Amino acid sequence: MRQEHLRLPVGSNLETSYNKKVFIITEVSGAEKLFCSQVIILCMFSGKRDALFIGRGYMYSAVIQLYRDKVFISKEMESYTEETFPAVFEKISKTLRRRVRIVLADEFVYITRLTFPHGTEITRERVAQKAKEEIPEDLSSTKWDFQTLTFTKQGGVSDEVLVQVAVLERRFYEMLKSILANQRLEIESVIPESYACAQFSVLGADPVILVQKNPGNILLIALCNGFVMLSDTIEGEIVTPSLIQQFIASVERTKDILVKKVIFSYFSEEDVLPQEELVASGYSVERGYYNPMVGTALQKKVRGRDEEVLNVKLT
């Protein structure tokens, strides 16, 4: 056992948020923009995961140390432009060990859910053909992956096969591919931020809207049974009840699920949230901290049959 001096967001409820024994520890960084208080915690560490988050205009690395639960220690955020992206990526890659998991902001990824009649043989070719109807990219010029969802409607057995698809924005993929060709890194997995957040089992199986605060934007994620139903990125850091309710209405209309819970993630006590309005409309409202870097470390399967694992392979 060793003593670590680590930092947590003010107001963190360790027992309820982080499963009582070993906690998600967030060292203050520019990427988090949260007020922090310092605590001293005794932890035992074993397994480690190195991770890299790439947002639009910023990136940062992290070490996620796993022992019974999860511990997250982030490095400083680095800003970049399209011109400085290679140099910044090179600088941050030197802070990582060889094997790394990458989380991409949903702005770089098209995410959709497709439906097929029950009994359909799900092949990559069949998924690609249908995905072309919804995604404005030539799938042959970028990277993408899919996963069959083990999800059925409440109250009965679904007569459909549901497939989750993630497609990288072609322009971003070209930029990333050009620098990875000369890197020493072994990319273990690449997943969007929303999918990383879906790895937290404490979010439960019932439909929920996760309102995730990021530097410069807010990510709305509709989750159900551990899968991403829909996501949307909103510029700015102000969230309104009408914005959330419009998203919920879209989710319920297009995905045929009923949402009753909204969780605000990484909002400080100083942030004004539309809690009263949402409660008055019949929604349960909670706060929490669901870090996508911890989520990618929690992803148990990064290899396997194509339809079983969502992992956008870059090479």
Side-chain angles (χ1 to χ4, degrees), residues 81-309:
T81 64
E82 192 167 332
E83 291 72 28
T84 62
F85 183 81
V88 174
F89 189 97
E90 174 69 20
K91 177 182 177 181
I92 287 186
S93 69
K94 291 178 179 178
T95 70
L96 299 166
R97 293 175 302 167
R98 181 175 178 82
R99 182 173 295 181
V100 62
R101 297 186 177 191
I102 295 179
V103 179
L104 300 178
D106 278 39
E107 297 167 278
F108 295 130
V109 189
Y110 298 98
I111 301 171
T112 189
R113 189 191 71 166
L114 306 176
T115 60
F116 295 88
H118 182 71
T120 300
E121 181 183 2
I122 304 301
T123 64
R124 194 169 182 85
E125 294 73 22
R126 183 166 281 139
V127 172
Q129 191 63 38
K130 192 159 187 175
K132 290 176 183 178
E133 301 172 7
E134 299 191 23
I135 294 174
E137 289 283 5
D138 178 3
L139 269 63
S140 64
S141 65
T142 185
K143 292 294 184 179
W144 64 281
D145 198 24
F146 72 96
Q147 179 184 24
T148 302
L149 309 186
T150 55
F151 170 79
T152 57
K153 299 176 185 177
Q154 290 185 344
V157 178
S158 175
D159 58 356
E160 297 175 329
V161 178
L162 308 181
V163 175
Q164 185 167 279
V165 183
V167 180
L168 296 192
E169 181 185 83
R170 183 185 62 80
R171 184 174 177 179
F172 172 75
Y173 166 65
E174 291 293 338
M175 184 170 66
L176 188 60
K177 179 179 72 171
S178 65
I179 61 173
L180 285 177
N182 301 314
Q183 283 288 330
R184 63 176 179 79
L185 298 178
E186 177 186 335
I187 309 302
E188 190 175 28
S189 71
V190 179
I191 58 176
E193 179 182 1
S194 56
Y195 189 79
C197 291
Q199 304 307 306
F200 288 94
S201 60
V202 294
L203 290 172
D206 293 334
V208 61
I209 302 300
L210 187 65
V211 185
Q212 184 85 348
K213 185 178 180 182
N214 287 324
N217 65 50
I218 291 171
L219 178 62
L220 302 177
I221 314 170
L223 300 170
C224 188
N225 204 31
F227 296 104
V228 179
M229 298 291 104
L230 192 68
S231 72
D232 191 18
T233 301
I234 308 299
E235 294 303 317
E237 297 183 357
I238 298 176
V239 60
T240 65
S242 61
L243 183 152
I244 294 174
Q245 288 176 313
Q246 287 171 17
F247 180 71
I248 292 175
S250 176
V251 170
E252 293 182 337
R253 183 180 66 254
T254 60
K255 307 305 177 185
D256 194 25
I257 57 177
L258 182 63
V259 176
K260 300 301 291 181
K261 180 187 287 188
V262 178
I263 299 177
F264 291 92
S265 177
Y266 276 92
F267 286 82
S268 71
E269 293 297 325
E270 287 74 19
D271 288 311
V272 178
L273 302 179
Q275 290 177 290
E276 292 184 6
E277 296 91 334
L278 291 171
V279 170
S281 298
Y283 298 103
S284 166
V285 177
E286 298 177 6
R287 287 176 184 254
Y289 295 96
Y290 297 95
N291 196 298
M293 299 289 259
V294 177
T296 191
L298 292 175
Q299 186 182 10
K300 295 177 181 178
K301 294 187 68 175
V302 296
R303 296 181 179 86
R305 291 196 304 170
D306 207 9
E307 67 274 17
E308 293 181 347
V309 179

Side-chain angles (χ1 to χ4, degrees), residues 20-35:
K20 298 183 180 179
K21 292 187 179 178
V22 181
F23 315 113
I24 300 177
I25 309 302
T26 307
E27 185 179 351
V28 65
S29 71
E32 311 278 18
K33 290 186 177 179
L34 293 172
F35 293 98

Side-chain angles (χ1 to χ4, degrees), residues 49-62:
R49 296 281 187 274
D50 283 40
L52 172 65
F53 185 96
I54 305 178
R56 195 173 294 280
Y58 70 96
M59 67 177 83
Y60 64 98
S61 62

Side-chain angles (χ1 to χ4, degrees), residues 32-56:
E32 311 278 18
K33 290 186 177 179
L34 293 172
F35 293 98
C36 293
S37 61
Q38 185 158 326
V39 296
I40 298 175
I41 295 178
L42 296 177
C43 292
M44 287 182 64
F45 299 118
S46 55
K48 286 185 179 182
R49 296 281 187 274
D50 283 40
L52 172 65
F53 185 96
I54 305 178
R56 195 173 294 280

